[in-house]
């Protein structure tokens, strides 16, 4: 159980693995409480700046006055304008306007840039008021936001293509190049370490002990507070000093945004009692720290029809307030850290005969992907951007290769000595050919596949590669080697590896949730070796049409924080390229 | 026979209980490393005075392990007198397995009490910082001279002194 919702605090507090199951109390209820609304994924504000070279001069007699309009392309292909730059008068313009955009690790964010020739007509108008229909488009370029982020210097150059309406549709001209650079504002990296303490908690309940914890929320724009951090639960303590918590300015909104600090008394039924609360911004907390004074908590108390804030004797003190700069997930990417996908596909007989349409492995002649292909495509297209060579190990398990015994980890490409395939398309081809070359069997064992993945991850360590591995296991059934799988996972928990398990088909996956630490305790092997951190996530992929993609995204969204936990606990720092 | 030079950090424990009635530990806890050469040779952390059932030491030790040593034991004591539990750390978890030498292994183990019952979890980090050839041998098998990677000749020597006295500081 992470004892806090932010990726930063997870990395820090979990100094070793899930060391944050802190106070012996089942903190699950608290976690649910805090995670109900808080975000777990790494989302980052970044700023895009644009420049172009060799813009094709549209106007023969006048100068080239150009402007870029930035769009985002939705899943259905429709586009939405995000912003416009100012007009620059050059063939190699560098625009000053920066566009702020939120980067999500787990989603494909397609950007579209259109460069327009403004000409003389609109020189004096505000760019926002210019009607784009009246302008001539010099060219357009598109890229994924993650493609920019994954570049070592966070700069990507795209070709501008000019689509002329009255020419042959397939014919297009190259009309220059557009460079997009992504920068992370420095405020995002500022991390505040706070040690909070309360004096004289006023909590008198005959039936329960005092088990206080703090929840810090920011007052969001719509007025509904969003929890961003919570402390561990202190036991039987009326003068609690909590462990340091870590907040970044990004979570708080800004340094002057009021934060709501609430003190609750833990209740195992999940209905925690509010002891008192106080509203302070980070700047206020800094002042409290420097003055050494405490701030009285208040408690909304019903007085007739209304609530009145009763001022309590309980005071909140700030024992420590330290601001520091920490490397963000994007810094690691910019320094060349890569995510390497590995795929393992279930070939057990429970999938049904692949030649029949009711099989999960049925290859539709119309080209519609089956559920396995769909998961590989969805996860693969997000992750492949973060891998420069795009060579993915791909395995199958639970099938009998031609004239051999049942294998619980065979190479999808049919080779006996190397397991890698080239690109997502390579996985697809290897998968289809494997379907014809093996006969489905059983049982469902994960141990071999996880061990193979661990070997690759540790070989990469040995050769000093900056790689983090993601093993995607797609299965239609519950595993039969639970203990072996646990042993393999516990051993792998110390390696640069995360495991995503996607359950397909209609089986009851209740048992799989044991492997997912969000739903259970830390994994323990048969020899008493305990997993140092959480590396497994499980999600059933049932409703392909509606919720399926969202489920996969939630799976992927945890990867950055798992990576950060790995890197920060062992003091791996990105060596930043000076941009 | 080569000796592994191993750097062990006793980081912390989670959920320690008293062996008698399995209540959360209130007394000060102390971590101990015991290598298989000798049962009496140990390295010990200081007492943790704040953590109770969740002590934190972050104390680092360098120990030498002969190649035949298959494990080392991490013990957690309550104060100076009472053993809470032991975790046996197999050498294969941090060397000779799939990870390269020099890799910082973060390992967690379930502590077991003397009667086999489970107790809390101990967190350690282990790194093999170097290997050297055994230059003295207390058992009198022989003395290997030379550089790693080359075939060397073993010369029998007499049993002069016990390795434990020269290599390890006796703390308890």
């Amino acid at each position: 159980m992470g004892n806090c919702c932010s990726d930063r605090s997870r990395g820090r507090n979990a100094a070793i693995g899930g060391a944050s199951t802190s106070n012996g109390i089942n903190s699950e209820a608290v976690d649910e409480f805090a995670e109900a609304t808080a975000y777990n994924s790494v989302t980052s504000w970044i700023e895009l700046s644009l420049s172009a070279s060799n813009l094709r001069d549209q106007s023969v007699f006048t100068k080239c006055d150009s402007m870029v309009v930035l769009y985002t392309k939705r899943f259905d292909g429709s586009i939405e304008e995000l912003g416009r730059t100012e007009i620059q008068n050059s063939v190699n313009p560098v625009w000053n306007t920066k566009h702020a955009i939120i980067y999500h690790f787990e989603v494909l964010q397609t950007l579209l840039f259109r460069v327009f020739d403004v000409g003389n007509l609109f020189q004096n108008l505000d760019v926002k008021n210019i009607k784009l229909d009246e302008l001539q488009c010099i060219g357009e370029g598109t890229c994924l936001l993650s493609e920019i982020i994954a570049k070592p210097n966070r700069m990507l150059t795209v070709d501008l293509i000019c689509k002329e309406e009255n020419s042959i549709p397939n014919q297009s001209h190259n009309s220059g190049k557009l460079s997009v650079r992504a920068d992370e504002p420095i405020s995002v990296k500022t991390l505040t370490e706070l040690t909070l303490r309360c004096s004289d908690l006023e909590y008198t309940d005959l039936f329960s002990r005092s088990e206080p914890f703090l929840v810090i929320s920011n007052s969001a724009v719509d007025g509904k507070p969003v929890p961003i951090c919570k402390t561990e639960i202190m036991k039987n303590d009326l003068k609690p000093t909590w462990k340091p918590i870590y907040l970044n300015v990004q979570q708080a909104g800004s340094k002057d945004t009021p934060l709501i600090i609430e003190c609750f008394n833990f209740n195992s039924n999940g209905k925690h009692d509010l002891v008192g609360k106080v509203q302070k911004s980070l700047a206020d907390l800094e002042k409290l720290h420097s003055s050494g004074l405490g701030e009285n908590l208040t408690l909304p108390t019903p007085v007739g029809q209304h609530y009145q804030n009763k001022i309590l004797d309980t005071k909140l003190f700030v024992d420590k307030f330290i601001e520091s700069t920490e490397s963000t997930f994007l810094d690691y990417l910019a320094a060349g850290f890569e995510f390497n996908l590995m795929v393992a596909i279930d070939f057990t007989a429970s999938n049904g005969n692949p030649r029949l349409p009711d099989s999960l492995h049925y290859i539709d002649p119309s080209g519609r992907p089956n559920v396995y292909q769909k998961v590989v495509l969805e996860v693969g297209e997000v992750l492949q951007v973060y891998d420069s060579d795009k060579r993915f190990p791909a395995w199958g398990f639970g099938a009998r290769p031609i004239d051999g015994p049942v294998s619980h980890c065979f190479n999808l490409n049919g080779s006996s000595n190397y397991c890698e395939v080239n690109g997502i398309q390579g996985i697809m081809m290897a998968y289809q050919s494997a379907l014809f070359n093996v006969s489905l069997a059983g049982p469902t064992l994960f141990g071999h596949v996880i061990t193979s993945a661990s070997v690759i991850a540790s070989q990469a360590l040995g050769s000093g590669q900056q790689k983090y591995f993601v093993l995607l296991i797609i299965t239609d059934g519950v595993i039969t080697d639970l203990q072996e799988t646990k042993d393999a996972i516990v051993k792998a928990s110390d390696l640069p590896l995360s495991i995503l398990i996607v359950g397909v088909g209609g089986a009851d996956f209740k048992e799989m949730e044991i492997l997912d630490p969000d739903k259970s305790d830390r994994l323990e092997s048969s020899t008493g070796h305990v997993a140092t951190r959480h590396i497994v996530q499980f999600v059933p992929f049932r409703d392909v049409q509606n919720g399926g993609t969202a489920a996969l995204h939630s799976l992927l969204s945890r990867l950055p924080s798992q990576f950060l936990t790995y890197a920060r606990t062992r003091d791996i720092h990105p060596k930043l390229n000076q941009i | 026979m080569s000796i592994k030079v191993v750097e062990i950090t006793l980081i912390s424990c989670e959920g320690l209980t008293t062996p008698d009635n399995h209540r959360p530990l209130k007394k000060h806890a102390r971590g101990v490393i015991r290598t298989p050469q000798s049962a009496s040779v140990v390295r010990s952390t200081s007492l943790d005075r704040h953590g109770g059932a969740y002590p934190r030491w972050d104390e680092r030790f360098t120990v030498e392990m002969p190649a035949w040593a298959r494990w080392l034991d991490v013990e957690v004591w309550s104060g100076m007198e009472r053993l809470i539990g032991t975790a046996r750390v197999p050498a294969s978890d941090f060397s000779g397995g799939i990870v390269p030498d020099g890799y910082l292994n973060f390992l967690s183990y379930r502590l077991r009490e003397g009667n086999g019952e489970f107790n809390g979890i101990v967190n350690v980090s282990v790194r093999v910082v170097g290997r050297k050839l055994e230059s003295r041998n207390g058992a009198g098998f022989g003395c290997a001279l030379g550089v790693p990677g080359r075939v060397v000749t073993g010369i029998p020597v007499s049993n002069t002194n016990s390795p434990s006295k020269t290599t390890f500081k006796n703390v308890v």
Side-chain angles (χ1 to χ4, degrees):
Chain A
M1 298 292 124
N3 67 351
C4 180
C5 342
S6 82
D7 69 286
R8 287 168 181 282
S9 336
R10 264 174 198 257
R12 282 266 192 127
N13 289 359
I16 175 152
S20 38
T21 8
S22 299
N23 279 29
I25 299 174
N26 176 12
S27 64
E28 206 152 335
V30 191
D31 274 314
E32 277 169 23
F33 172 71
E35 284 181 14
T37 38
Y39 62 87
N40 255 303
S41 63
V42 169
T43 48
S44 312
W45 276 104
I46 51 166
E47 288 176 345
L48 297 180
S49 24
L50 300 164
S51 62
S53 60
N54 298 322
L55 282 188
R56 201 178 54 152
D57 217 336
Q58 296 276 344
S59 39
V60 184
F61 302 108
T62 60
K63 298 164 291 182
C64 175
D65 293 307
S66 55
M67 169 181 90
V68 186
V69 183
L70 170 64
Y71 302 90
T72 172
K73 215 181 231 175
R74 289 210 201 84
F75 195 61
D76 56 5
S78 64
I79 58 174
E80 181 193 356
E81 184 178 327
L82 290 179
R84 301 175 180 190
T85 63
E86 80 280 7
I87 299 163
Q88 283 285 346
N89 177 351
S90 165
V91 189
N92 300 312
V94 178
W95 290 278
N96 297 322
T97 316
K98 289 187 172 175
H99 297 281
I101 186 168
I102 297 179
Y103 158 72
H104 299 273
F105 173 80
E106 70 278 12
V107 219
L108 291 178
Q109 295 169 277
T110 314
L111 300 175
L112 176 71
F113 306 92
R114 280 192 182 145
V115 185
F116 289 95
D117 183 8
V118 182
N120 288 335
L121 292 169
F122 304 100
Q123 284 290 348
N124 301 323
L125 269 174
D126 183 4
V127 284
K128 291 215 173 71
N129 299 329
I130 297 176
K131 290 203 178 83
L132 297 175
D133 313 343
E134 298 167 19
L135 299 181
Q136 189 169 16
C137 179
I138 303 176
E140 65 174 50
T142 182
C143 71
L144 293 174
L145 182 55
S146 49
E147 282 177 328
I148 310 171
I149 302 286
K151 286 273 174 205
N153 53 2
R154 281 193 219 136
M155 167 109 113
L156 185 77
T157 305
V158 291
D159 285 332
L160 289 173
I161 308 292
C162 181
K163 289 189 186 124
E164 286 182 24
E165 283 155 20
N166 45 9
S167 65
I168 313 154
N170 287 336
Q171 193 185 348
S172 53
H173 300 284
N174 192 335
S175 46
K177 288 182 189 307
L178 182 78
S179 298
V180 193
R181 208 181 77 193
D183 293 302
E184 207 173 3
I186 194 78
S187 67
V188 172
K189 301 180 190 177
T190 311
L191 190 67
T192 312
E193 181 183 344
L194 287 169
T195 304
L196 298 176
R197 170 169 64 95
C198 271
S199 67
D200 310 314
L201 278 188
E202 284 182 30
Y203 187 76
T204 44
D205 190 327
L206 290 174
F207 302 108
S208 69
R209 289 177 299 178
S210 168
E211 292 171 341
F213 67 98
L214 296 177
V215 175
I216 301 180
S217 319
N218 73 0
S219 40
V221 191
D222 56 357
K224 193 171 173 283
V226 179
I228 51 174
C229 194
K230 71 175 173 57
T231 65
E232 81 276 16
I233 306 155
M234 301 303 283
K235 273 193 116 181
N236 222 354
D237 202 340
L238 291 173
K239 289 174 183 172
T241 303
W242 288 275
K243 278 188 198 162
I245 51 173
Y246 299 89
L247 284 176
N248 67 11
V249 176
Q250 188 191 3
Q251 290 172 313
S254 79
K255 211 177 162 180
D256 298 311
T257 315
L259 298 172
I260 303 160
I261 304 169
E262 290 162 304
C263 181
F264 286 95
N265 194 49
F266 177 82
N267 199 331
S268 54
N269 66 10
K271 287 178 191 157
H272 312 298
D273 309 303
L274 182 66
V275 178
K277 67 180 193 176
V278 66
Q279 193 159 335
K280 287 278 161 209
S281 72
L282 280 175
D284 296 334
L285 292 172
E286 191 173 16
K287 275 181 213 146
L288 273 184
H289 172 247
S290 54
S291 67
L293 297 174
E295 179 76 19
N296 288 76
L297 297 186
T298 60
L299 184 67
T301 321
V303 175
Q305 294 280 309
H306 302 283
Y307 278 90
Q308 211 167 44
N309 274 337
K310 181 184 158 201
I311 297 172
L312 307 172
D313 288 340
T314 310
K315 280 185 177 177
L316 178 82
F317 292 89
V318 183
D319 283 352
K320 196 160 147 196
F321 188 99
I322 299 172
E323 281 183 335
S324 59
T325 317
E326 204 175 47
S327 307
T328 61
F329 179 64
L330 296 188
D331 288 336
Y332 284 96
L333 289 180
F337 281 86
E338 296 194 351
F339 280 80
N340 195 330
L341 176 68
M342 309 195 259
V343 177
I345 291 176
D346 186 338
F347 280 83
T348 52
S350 51
N351 287 287
N353 184 348
R355 284 165 187 81
L356 302 176
D358 60 349
S359 163
L360 292 168
H361 277 308
Y362 180 66
I363 304 282
D364 196 326
S366 72
R368 228 191 68 186
N370 68 28
V371 63
Y372 284 94
Q373 290 171 312
K374 201 159 166 79
V375 174
V376 171
L377 284 172
E378 290 272 353
V379 174
E381 67 184 357
V382 171
L383 285 179
Q384 64 160 344
V385 179
Y386 302 95
D387 191 350
S388 57
D389 65 2
K390 305 202 191 327
R391 292 186 62 79
F392 308 118
W395 299 288
F397 55 91
R400 193 178 293 117
I402 300 169
D403 57 71
V406 174
S407 170
H408 301 295
C409 183
F410 56 90
N411 298 330
L412 274 194
N413 57 18
S415 157
S416 54
N417 40 27
Y418 68 98
C419 55
E420 287 184 337
V421 294
N422 261 324
I424 301 299
Q425 211 45 48
I427 302 177
M428 289 300 164
M429 278 153 54
Y431 163 68
Q432 291 199 26
S433 69
L435 274 181
F436 291 105
N437 293 330
V438 299
S439 48
L440 307 195
T444 312
L445 307 183
F446 284 0
H448 295 70
V449 166
I450 295 173
T451 307
S452 302
S454 309
V455 168
I456 290 180
S458 48
Q459 278 166 354
L461 277 179
S463 55
Q465 296 175 46
Q466 296 187 324
K467 275 195 172 176
Y468 192 86
F469 291 85
V470 180
L471 171 62
L472 170 69
I473 303 178
I474 316 172
T475 181
D476 84 317
V478 172
I479 46 169
T480 34
D481 65 335
L482 188 61
Q483 195 55 54
E484 284 84 348
T485 302
K486 273 189 186 173
D487 291 359
I489 291 171
V490 168
K491 270 208 149 64
S493 69
D494 196 37
L495 294 169
L497 174 71
S498 284
I499 302 173
L500 313 177
I501 304 174
V502 178
V504 295
D508 179 16
F509 290 110
K510 201 115 209 109
E511 268 189 52
M512 297 294 226
E513 301 193 338
I514 298 169
L515 301 175
D516 189 335
D518 279 354
K519 290 139 193 154
S520 67
D521 276 341
R522 283 168 79 176
L523 287 180
E524 203 164 322
S525 81
S526 44
T527 56
H529 190 172
V530 183
T532 36
R533 62 191 184 101
H534 301 153
I535 64 164
V536 182
Q537 289 171 77
F538 169 77
V539 75
F541 185 76
R542 294 234 168 91
D543 195 351
V544 186
Q545 256 59 45
N546 302 319
T549 316
L552 291 181
H553 285 168
S554 76
L555 204 63
L556 288 166
S557 66
R558 294 290 188 83
L559 287 177
S561 54
Q562 291 187 353
F563 166 78
L564 286 176
T565 309
Y566 175 80
R568 285 183 184 148
T569 47
R570 47 194 72 237
D571 266 340
I572 300 171
H573 294 293
K575 291 177 198 71
L576 280 182
N577 307 336
Q578 291 303 316
I579 303 169
Chain B
M1 293 289 253
S2 72
I3 297 178
K4 284 194 284 277
V5 183
V6 181
E7 197 180 82
I8 307 171
T9 308
L10 288 183
I11 302 172
S12 61
C13 277
E14 297 165 41
L16 295 180
T17 56
T18 53
D20 319 315
N21 52 7
H22 286 274
R23 293 273 172 79
L25 188 77
K26 293 233 171 60
K27 283 191 177 165
H28 305 156
R30 167 175 87 99
V32 164
I33 299 165
R34 203 184 282 277
T35 46
Q37 285 96 328
S38 159
S40 64
V41 176
V42 296
R43 297 298 193 88
S44 167
T45 68
S46 52
L47 287 174
D48 171 88
R49 298 188 185 278
H50 306 288
Y54 292 80
R56 186 169 193 92
W57 305 288
D58 266 328
E59 289 182 36
R60 184 178 294 169
F61 305 94
T62 306
V63 298
E64 296 187 358
M65 285 180 77
W68 53 265
R70 294 291 161 82
W71 68 79
L72 47 87
D73 283 336
V74 175
E75 297 171 353
V76 179
W77 290 66
S78 156
M80 301 301 281
E81 68 289 333
R82 185 82 205 262
L83 176 67
I84 298 174
T86 309
R88 182 150 287 188
V89 183
S92 59
D93 280 2
F94 55 85
S95 95
I98 50 178
V99 292
D101 268 12
Y103 183 68
L104 180 63
N105 298 277
F106 282 95
L107 303 167
S108 306
Y109 295 91
R110 177 69 67 186
L111 290 165
R112 284 199 155 209
E113 295 167 11
N115 57 7
E117 273 192 64
F118 292 121
N119 207 296
I121 293 173
V122 62
N123 298 313
V124 296
S125 74
V126 189
R127 189 207 305 257
V128 179
V129 288
R131 284 170 194 267
K132 61 182 186 187
L133 284 180
E134 206 161 10
S135 53
R136 37 140 201 87
N137 196 307
F141 288 127
C143 176
L145 304 164
V147 288
R150 272 175 50 190
V151 179
V152 293
T153 321
I155 309 156
V157 290
S158 64
N159 189 352
T160 46
N161 55 356
S162 153
S164 57
K165 275 182 193 153
T166 53
T167 324
F168 299 100
K169 197 172 67 181
N170 198 336
V171 182
V172 168

